[in-house]
Amino acid sequence: MKAEYDNYRKRVRRDRLAVREIAVVNVLTGLLPVLDVVEAARRQGDDAAEVLFDVLEGRLAALGLRTVGAAGEPFDPNTHEAIDYCASGTGQEAVCAEVLRQGYRVGDRLLRPAQVSVAGPAPAA
């Protein structure tokens, strides 16, 4: 009887954590368009947007939101979405040349892939 109760408690704890994670993912997914608009305003030089973006980004990071994609990192089709490709004779590996739209993840769950411009070897003819 005690073993059954212990298993029940563990299952309830695990279920609560799963429900919490799903709720956080749903809220953060809904906020991504807002984050995109504020980031776009910040890039245009709006000082208020800069402050708002920093506060918003800090609060969302506290909930576990992490950015995906950075210029110079190797291209990974699991976390990046290639929007543009340009051949460069500098390397054998495709790399992200520019991040066009930031990607995000929470824990192991990818909310949105990063849209990137990729630079890599010329395709074989």
Side-chain angles (χ1 to χ4, degrees), residues 35 53 57 64-70 73 102-105 112 114:
L35 194 58
F53 182 79
E57 188 178 47
L65 187 70
R66 301 289 178 255
T67 59
V68 173
E73 71 182 19
Q102 197 70 304
Y104 295 97
R105 77 172 44 241
R112 179 176 79 187

Side-chain angles (χ1 to χ4, degrees), residues 20-37:
R20 180 189 179 281
E21 182 179 325
I22 290 169
V24 167
V25 165
N26 288 337
V27 169
L28 292 177
T29 301
L31 288 175
L32 291 182
V34 174
L35 194 58
D36 290 340
V37 169

